[in-house]
Amino acid sequence: MNPDFNICYIVGAMSLTPGLRPSPRPGDYVIAADLGYDSLMAYGVSPDLVVGDFDSLGRNPSHPNVIQLPAEKDDTDMAYALRQGLGLGYRRFLLLGGVGGRLEHTLGNLQLLEWLARRRAQGFLAGQKTVATCIQDGQCVRFPADMSGFLSVFCNSGRAEGVDLTGLKYPLSQYTLTSDFPLGVSNQFLGTEASVSVRTGSLLLVWEDRGDFYDKLPGLWVR
């Protein structure tokens, strides 16, 4: 196992579409966060670890590896699960069941993408036909030529300098995006290889999932 290249799946409480069912390989690790336990069991995937205060699940799960969290805490169940994955050495994370429920939890999960990036890890938040990830400080994501639909690029906070968008309908070169204006919303793929990079600062990338997220995932990890 190499946790730098294996994937840690974190499955949360929001609905999980059949197309996002985890298919862990040897060396991958699956954590259920609260009600995510029921989602995984419904798809026949047994988690390696279950964490949460279980307010959403409504019971203590019958599983050999459970961490019971207090109801009053600083970390969300998803954030605590990420800490566990990082502690095991994983640097690639898929956050599933974290989009489309309560808006504040969706926003919190988007913030966790930057929290991971600051720890030299990368996460993808996938759900509701949408995928998001975060890059920062010299990083680049390359999209294959068969990507289609919309891609939005936002500055997470303050300023993101040296932003390059290539292979998209609205390119940018060494541009400065700021967090107070959504200039990068609703860009479009053109059927050619595309890339997004930033010299300094943090970018949130959000795009449409056409049901082939897992097919394209291997090429989307930051290297």
Side-chain angles (χ1 to χ4, degrees):
M1 183 193 76
N2 184 342
D4 285 337
F5 294 98
N6 289 113
I7 296 172
C8 181
Y9 294 85
I10 312 290
V11 181
M14 302 174 202
S15 59
L16 186 63
T17 61
L20 289 177
R21 177 190 182 276
S23 298
R25 302 169 302 172
D28 292 344
Y29 198 76
V30 181
I31 304 177
D34 205 307
L35 189 58
Y37 176 75
D38 274 357
S39 296
L40 283 169
M41 298 307 290
Y43 287 115
V45 180
S46 180
D48 297 289
L49 172 66
V50 186
V51 304
D53 55 25
F54 306 122
D55 59 341
S56 299
L57 188 62
R59 68 184 191 281
N60 289 327
S62 177
H63 189 276
N65 194 14
V66 175
I67 298 178
Q68 172 82 47
L69 302 178
E72 297 182 0
K73 56 189 182 300
D74 291 334
D75 282 349
T76 62
D77 294 338
M78 187 78 81
Y80 186 88
L82 288 174
R83 290 187 190 276
Q84 296 300 302
L86 286 170
L88 291 170
Y90 288 89
R91 290 297 178 268
R92 294 181 169 187
F93 292 85
L94 292 187
L95 285 65
L96 308 173
V99 177
R102 289 164 54 185
L103 177 60
E104 64 268 34
H105 282 294
T106 298
L107 291 173
N109 292 332
L110 288 169
Q111 284 191 318
L112 287 174
L113 297 177
E114 181 170 7
W115 184 83
L116 283 172
R118 291 187 181 278
R119 286 154 181 80
R120 310 312 297 173
Q122 186 183 11
F124 289 91
L125 177 64
Q128 299 292 319
K129 300 182 179 180
T130 299
V131 181
T133 193
C134 176
I135 63 171
Q136 63 176 2
D137 297 339
Q139 293 182 326
C140 176
V141 170
R142 300 186 185 280
F143 296 92
D146 58 352
M147 292 288 290
S148 60
F150 294 98
L151 167 69
S152 294
V153 180
F154 303 101
C155 173
N156 268 336
S157 61
R159 295 161 60 89
E161 300 179 345
V163 175
D164 285 340
L165 307 182
T166 66
L168 297 167
K169 183 175 182 178
Y170 306 107
L172 291 176
S173 177
Q174 293 299 294
Y175 196 83
T176 297
L177 290 176
T178 60
S179 60
D180 60 356
F181 190 76
L183 180 73
V185 72
S186 295
N187 212 322
Q188 288 181 255
F189 294 106
L190 297 176
T192 61
E193 183 178 289
S195 67
V196 178
S197 62
V198 58
R199 187 177 69 248
T200 58
S202 178
L203 295 178
L204 178 68
L205 284 58
V206 183
W207 65 94
E208 295 178 87
D209 173 31
R210 300 300 180 91
D212 55 0
F213 167 60
Y214 284 126
D215 293 336
K216 293 182 168 56
L217 178 63
L220 297 177
W221 295 108
V222 169
R223 290 178 172 83

